[in-house]
Amino acid sequence: MREGASNLMPADCIFCRIVRGELPSQKVWENDEILAFRDIHPAAPVHVLVVPKEHIAGMAAAGNEHAALLGELLLAGQKVAEQEGLDEGYRLVINQGNHGRQTVAHLHLHVLGGRLLGAMG
Ligand code: AMP
């Protein structure tokens, strides 16, 4: 973990609660380390969130010890996109901090697709 970053699991982290099954979600894919579920406010016809089951507050809180897990996260995004039939392409997005408009402090990868997406930024 990066110095100064807190990855303490908050009892009320909504994605930790989804991982624990305490809050409902529309699961689309899962393995031992990762859960993928549909975004509650989809920004595209397909909008899936891919989260590590371990609480990591965000990209800025990840460290070298998370390198393999970060790779698994990207590959899970690829698997979800394939499963969702996004043959025309898709976008994988990680928002970090205020300027990145991160609203949930649990690392997550957005998988967006199903239409031609707008320009970045
Ligand atoms: P971000 O802005 O990158 O932090 O993305 C957080 C995403 O989580 C947003 O797209 C929200 O719509 C989504 N979200 C928040 N609460 C839930 C929930 N309970 N189930 C599914 N998606 C959620």
Side-chain angles (χ1 to χ4, degrees), residues 64-86:
N64 288 337
E65 71 275 24
H66 298 117
L69 182 59
L70 291 171
E72 293 292 333
L73 200 69
L74 285 172
L75 289 168
Q78 177 205 62
K79 291 185 181 86
V80 166
E82 285 177 11
Q83 184 179 298
E84 294 290 312
L86 301 180

Side-chain angles (χ1 to χ4, degrees), residues 14-15 18 23-25 37-42 47 49 94-95 100-105 108 110:
I14 58 172
F15 289 175
I18 285 174
L23 288 177
S25 71
F37 52 92
R38 298 200 189 280
D39 196 294
I40 202 166
H41 294 125
H47 189 172
L49 301 174
I94 295 175
N95 296 324
R101 294 188 182 273
Q102 181 182 8
T103 59
V104 177
H108 52 282
H110 296 256

Side-chain angles (χ1 to χ4, degrees), residues 7-80:
N7 279 334
L8 291 177
M9 185 197 291
D12 57 354
C13 167
I14 58 172
F15 289 175
C16 286
R17 295 191 66 197
I18 285 174
V19 165
R20 291 196 295 264
E22 296 170 5
L23 288 177
S25 71
Q26 277 188 274
K27 182 170 72 175
V28 299
W29 191 88
E30 182 176 28
N31 71 7
D32 286 348
E33 295 170 328
I34 289 168
L35 177 67
F37 52 92
R38 298 200 189 280
D39 196 294
I40 202 166
H41 294 125
V46 174
H47 189 172
V48 174
L49 301 174
V50 184
V51 311
K53 293 183 176 179
E54 172 187 349
H55 182 84
I56 302 170
M59 204 50 229
N64 288 337
E65 71 275 24
H66 298 117
L69 182 59
L70 291 171
E72 293 292 333
L73 200 69
L74 285 172
L75 289 168
Q78 177 205 62
K79 291 185 181 86
V80 166

